[in-house]
Amino acid sequence: MWKVKFFLIILLCFVNCIRADDDGEICDHDQGFNCTDGSTIDCLDVCNGIKDCKDGSDEFLWNDITESPCRNQECPNDHVKCNYGACIPIEYHCDNYFNCADKSDEWKYYCNKHKENPEEFKSCESGDFIPKNEFCNGKIDCPRDGSDEWPNLCKLLPCPSNTHFRCKSGGCIPLTKKCNNIKDCHDNSDEKTCGNVIKNPVSTTPNQGCLVRRDRNYYIKNELENYNIIPGGRVPVNTRIIIKCSNNFFFPENNTEQRRICERNGRWDSPLPQCIKYCDARILNNSKSTTAQCSLRGSKVDCNKIVPRTVAKVSCADGYKMPEELGDSASYEMTCERDGKWSKRKDNCEPICGRYASDNASVAPWHVGVKTYLNQRCGGTIVSPSIVITALHCVQFEDDTALSVDKVVVIIDGNSVNVSDIFGGGDIDVALLKLSEILTLSKSIRPICITESVYIASSTKAFLHGWPKDTKKITEVFHKTELDVLPRRNCSAKLNGRYICVRPAYKLHRNETLCEGDSGSGITAESDGVNYIIGILSFKPARNDDCTNEPIVAVRFNQIPELQKTMISSDKEPLYEMENM
Ligand SMILES: *[C@@H]1O[C@H](CO)[C@@H](O)[C@H](O)[C@H]1NC(C)=O
Ligand SMILES: *[C@@H]1O[C@H](CO)[C@@H](O)[C@H](O)[C@H]1NC(C)=O
Ligand SMILES: *[C@@H]1O[C@H](CO)[C@@H](O)[C@H](O)[C@H]1NC(C)=O
Ligand SMILES: *[C@@H]1O[C@H](CO)[C@@H](O)[C@H](O)[C@H]1NC(C)=O
Ligand SMILES: *[C@@H]1O[C@H](CO)[C@@H](O)[C@H](O)[C@H]1NC(C)=O
Ligand SMILES: *[C@@H]1O[C@H](CO)[C@@H](O)[C@H](O)[C@H]1NC(C)=O
Ligand SMILES: *[C@@H]1O[C@H](CO)[C@@H](O)[C@H](O)[C@H]1NC(C)=O
């Protein structure tokens, strides 16, 4: 039972050795005790657990337990200390009667013992147990009554002022938590006096204090005094600062503020941080025509988050080539600069047109199938990233004069692609199909080339890719037919210059034919290994035959309406506008 432990050491002492401190007794037995209100009481009534002075000053003044003559009193070994310092006989402790003037002899904090961990847990007045170290830590932890932060308890616990701050309510917090913009004392007293500290003037003497580097993207504040520091000067030793980045700038760690302390040697406790701006990463990934690889100081990095000094190496995707003005290098480099801007603009690559990607010429990457809801089949030709050219009669239906996009799909590399718009050629048998998506070009999907060259346009040898003759299946392999371009009169004496006349070339071993499903297919001519569109087949069988090897009319490509030509030439992948450029 002789194990009552208080936070103040109980020392052996003789009865009635009442001392204020080392330099004198608090009560002269001849004169009695002077209450602070002027009255006098008997010395035996001082620090006996009962307030005898009207103002309580013989135990503690009013409610202030720190104002007590008993604080440094030593108790005899059969007595225990009240929280404010008075001594009471040990048998009065936890006897359900109040014997201390602050009632601390009945505090559950002292009386209740935790069954498992009597040393580590202490009792709240409510009877709840909480870890001992949560008492008087500034934060209310007792769930029902907050008694762990009672000033009567906390104000008498030690709180070394060189390392700690005592909350007004008595709790004790590390000094580092004072004025950190966080309420560490539940009464917020740790954040209340921050602006009232005497302002240190900024030192003008060089080599004194710490230099605040000039950085346009900073905001710097004196932490304790809450005023702005103008970068470029020095601040005195021990100044605490808070650094924030201005709009759109960030710390690389992506926290909102950083703190520094100016140390005695005139250096910051750690180097001042840099505010950086990320470069727009989206431009690296906004075009089907390019691919990018990013590196920072020589190491490969993700292209999603671009910090300054990142270098992006932009190359063309499969099916695209560098624009002529960028020369014939395989790639170009863009560097993210300090201000978050790219060193140069991002250029898209251009589609490669008119070249077979392999020697297998059955795979014409520009040739597509055009299928209607009646399962009619035509051919078509990719002329730009989202436009296919075909014959108007392929997409015009007798029962419906309006061209309707939902009745047509385009078969590209084996896949169906929807059409979002159809632009008819008026009186000429040609139509542009605007696709519902921008095609991702590749080895097997490429546009045909377009040329103004009269020499190529008047070529007498031409080619046409069409559906296979022997199967109704949809396939990416087309049948290549060699054509002769004949004088117009071989088709009709009245045929005007907007058309050309073609016929499958005679072969010794096998005569080719053209069939109705070849309608709309492009007629192409080759020059230096590059294929150009020169016409669109307009097959309307004179008889009921499906196929023929007779001369057939085709629209001359350079005679399509100007409006359609403009649509084709302006159909480019949009160039993304870069921020701040
Ligand atoms: C108490 O008051 C009396 C008279 O006012 C004074 O003489 C005496 O010194 C005081 N005693 C103490 C301990 O201050
Ligand atoms: C930085 O953090 C904020 C909030 O946590 C987040 O919204 C933002 O996207 C982050 N920025 C970067 C570039 O990671
Ligand atoms: C590029 O963007 C697409 C979708 O917009 C996304 O799925 C892909 O992960 C991005 N790639 C990179 C390298 O950021
Ligand atoms: C061309 O490719 C197709 C399919 O890839 C194949 O069936 C055909 O035999 C090839 N033709 C030649 C001449 O290589
Ligand atoms: C194409 O259109 C059809 C019908 O209009 C629709 O069901 C389908 O989802 C569309 N396909 C794509 C890839 O948009
Ligand atoms: C074109 O028609 C003319 C007569 O109008 C004929 O002499 C010539 O052989 C025809 N050419 C071909 C290749 O059929
Ligand atoms: C191709 O057609 C021409 C003209 O009709 C004919 O003379 C020739 O015999 C045919 N060749 C074959 C292989 O059928």
Side-chain angles (χ1 to χ4, degrees), residues 486 489-490 503:
L486 305 177
R489 65 177 179 280
N490 288 69
R503 194 193 57 189

Side-chain angles (χ1 to χ4, degrees), residues 404-419:
S404 89
V405 294
D406 56 345
K407 290 179 177 170
V408 181
V409 292
V410 178
I411 313 295
I412 300 178
D413 200 20
N415 298 314
S416 295
V417 177
N418 284 348
V419 171

Side-chain angles (χ1 to χ4, degrees), residues 25-28 31-35 38-40:
E25 293 191 1
I26 53 165
C27 191
D28 183 323
Q31 295 184 351
F33 178 81
N34 292 348
C35 300
S39 57
T40 304

Side-chain angles (χ1 to χ4, degrees), residues 250-256 278 304-306:
F250 303 91
F251 292 119
E253 298 82 10
N254 196 26
N255 42 10
T256 53
Y278 298 106
N304 284 330
K305 193 172 172 183
I306 308 281

Side-chain angles (χ1 to χ4, degrees), residues 284-543:
L284 299 178
N285 187 26
N286 70 331
S287 164
K288 292 167 184 268
S289 73
T290 57
T291 61
Q293 283 194 329
C294 298
S295 61
L296 183 58
R297 297 185 197 95
S299 327
K300 199 171 171 229
V301 294
D302 203 344
C303 283
N304 284 330
K305 193 172 172 183
I306 308 281
V307 301
R309 286 211 273 273
T310 304
V311 177
K313 187 173 153 191
V314 180
S315 315
C316 294
D318 222 348
Y320 299 85
K321 63 178 189 338
M322 277 292 157
E324 260 169 41
E325 62 270 23
L326 292 184
D328 44 28
S329 57
S331 64
Y332 61 87
E333 287 189 347
M334 301 167 65
T335 305
C336 176
E337 295 182 337
R338 275 288 297 279
D339 56 2
K341 293 178 183 171
W342 289 103
S343 60
K344 73 178 287 304
R345 60 174 285 139
K346 159 92 188 315
D347 282 296
N348 284 349
C349 289
E350 291 173 351
I352 295 174
C353 69
R355 282 184 189 274
Y356 294 108
S358 71
D359 295 336
N360 189 339
S362 296
V363 183
W366 47 84
H367 183 75
V368 302
V370 175
K371 247 183 85 180
T372 70
Y373 72 121
L374 293 173
N375 217 22
Q376 292 165 337
R377 300 191 301 179
C378 276
T381 309
I382 302 170
V383 284
S384 64
S386 66
I387 295 177
V388 159
I389 194 166
T390 188
L392 179 61
H393 78 262
C394 291
V395 292
Q396 208 167 34
F397 309 105
E398 282 154 20
D399 59 338
D400 188 357
T401 48
L403 305 172
S404 89
V405 294
D406 56 345
K407 290 179 177 170
V408 181
V409 292
V410 178
I411 313 295
I412 300 178
D413 200 20
N415 298 314
S416 295
V417 177
N418 284 348
V419 171
S420 64
D421 249 321
I422 299 176
F423 302 99
D427 60 343
I428 197 163
D429 187 20
V430 63
L432 299 188
L433 310 182
K434 176 83 178 165
L435 304 176
S436 60
E437 61 186 71
I438 294 179
L439 294 173
T440 302
L441 304 185
S442 66
K443 284 186 169 55
S444 50
I445 303 177
R446 287 180 178 180
I448 190 77
C449 294
I450 284 163
T451 182
E452 294 292 319
S453 159
V454 177
Y455 170 75
I456 295 171
S458 54
S459 170
T460 54
K461 271 269 166 273
F463 302 93
L464 177 142
H465 285 82
W467 298 94
K469 306 285 182 238
D470 50 353
T471 170
K472 292 265 178 209
K473 271 200 314 198
I474 289 177
T475 164
E476 58 268 39
V477 180
F478 293 96
H479 182 77
K480 184 181 183 185
T481 306
E482 190 182 329
L483 303 174
D484 291 321
V485 182
L486 305 177
R488 289 200 301 275
R489 65 177 179 280
N490 288 69
C491 278
S492 153
K494 285 183 243 162
L495 197 64
N496 68 35
R498 300 172 76 186
Y499 298 90
I500 54 177
C501 181
V502 295
R503 194 193 57 189
Y506 283 139
K507 297 287 179 190
L508 278 179
H509 55 285
R510 183 169 72 104
N511 282 334
E512 298 274 12
T513 58
L514 289 175
C515 305
E516 202 180 350
D518 291 327
S519 277
S521 295
I523 293 166
T524 62
E526 194 186 305
S527 171
D528 287 336
V530 180
N531 294 275
Y532 300 88
I533 185 165
I534 61 168
I536 299 97
L537 193 69
S538 179
F539 185 83
K540 287 168 187 159
R543 297 181 298 276

Side-chain angles (χ1 to χ4, degrees), residues 559-570:
Q559 293 297 312
I560 67 170
E562 280 306 315
L563 186 62
Q564 293 192 345
K565 284 187 189 169
T566 310
M567 279 181 189
I568 294 170
S569 60
S570 59

